[in-house]
Amino acid sequence: MVLVTLDQNITQSLKKAEIIPDIVPEGFTSSTLVSINYPNGEDVALGNFIKPSDAAEVPTVTFIAPEKDAEYSVLMVDPDAPSKENPKWGPYRHWVTTNIPSSVDFTQATELSAYTGPAPPPKTGNHRYIFLVYKQPKQDIAFNTLSKDLSCWDFKSFVKENQLELVGVNYFISKNDDN
């Protein structure tokens, strides 16, 4: 009963923030909770506000792996670049780490795209920073090198090409201090 209620809360939050259906497909059911903690003590909590300066450093991501023999990938995207009203540069790729073991030991993972903290431009309103956790179809995937350009990243093609299965989501809201 608790998991059903929790899943309903996650789904409601994702729909309210228009993450479903923009980023996460309709019908998504979370199979793990994703915890993101920044070094300064800020925690990501399904749409809470975090200042860009408080999310500048690489966070610690934890989750309970739904399958112990699988490996996982974590993506962080901002679909609102440069703004939610005009997302011509979105989704903006902020982080991609793959081949994460079920122990969630990131030191054994492969970082395809280094962490880039939020930097929303002035006067562009709120931005959604979304962490997506995917189960990989097999271990030690040799992912293709990603483009150096972080803007306009077609993460949905990346997910499809690599046959990744979405298992968890979390996100926060941020905006430029000059807004």
Side-chain angles (χ1 to χ4, degrees), residues 7 11 44 48 67 86 102 116 119 126 128 139 173:
D7 186 55
T11 300
V44 176
N48 62 316
E67 291 183 29
N86 182 22
S102 62
T116 303
N126 288 338
R128 299 166 293 169
Q139 295 184 357
I173 305 296

Side-chain angles (χ1 to χ4, degrees), residues 110-164:
T110 305
E111 190 172 70
L112 289 185
S113 184
Y115 181 81
T116 303
K123 313 261 187 275
T124 59
N126 288 338
H127 287 242
R128 299 166 293 169
Y129 292 90
I130 306 164
F131 291 86
L132 304 154
V133 177
Y134 292 91
K135 182 175 79 74
Q136 298 176 187
K138 60 184 181 178
Q139 295 184 357
D140 298 319
I141 294 177
F143 288 88
N144 290 329
T145 303
L146 299 175
S147 161
K148 291 182 192 271
D149 186 4
L150 303 177
S151 65
C152 301
W153 185 43
D154 187 359
F155 80 94
K156 290 179 181 179
S157 288
F158 176 82
V159 166
K160 186 176 180 179
E161 287 167 15
N162 293 292
Q163 302 172 1
L164 303 178

Side-chain angles (χ1 to χ4, degrees), residues 78-92 127-128 152:
D78 170 9
D80 307 321
S83 69
K84 191 171 181 184
E85 293 73 27
N86 182 22
K88 64 184 178 184
W89 300 331
Y92 193 91
H127 287 242
R128 299 166 293 169
C152 301

Side-chain angles (χ1 to χ4, degrees), residues 34-48:
V34 181
S35 175
I36 297 109
N37 311 97
Y38 282 96
N40 64 357
E42 289 286 348
D43 295 331
V44 176
L46 286 175
N48 62 316

Side-chain angles (χ1 to χ4, degrees), residues 15 20-21 24-28:
K15 284 184 176 183
I20 293 177
V24 171
E26 284 283 353
F28 166 72

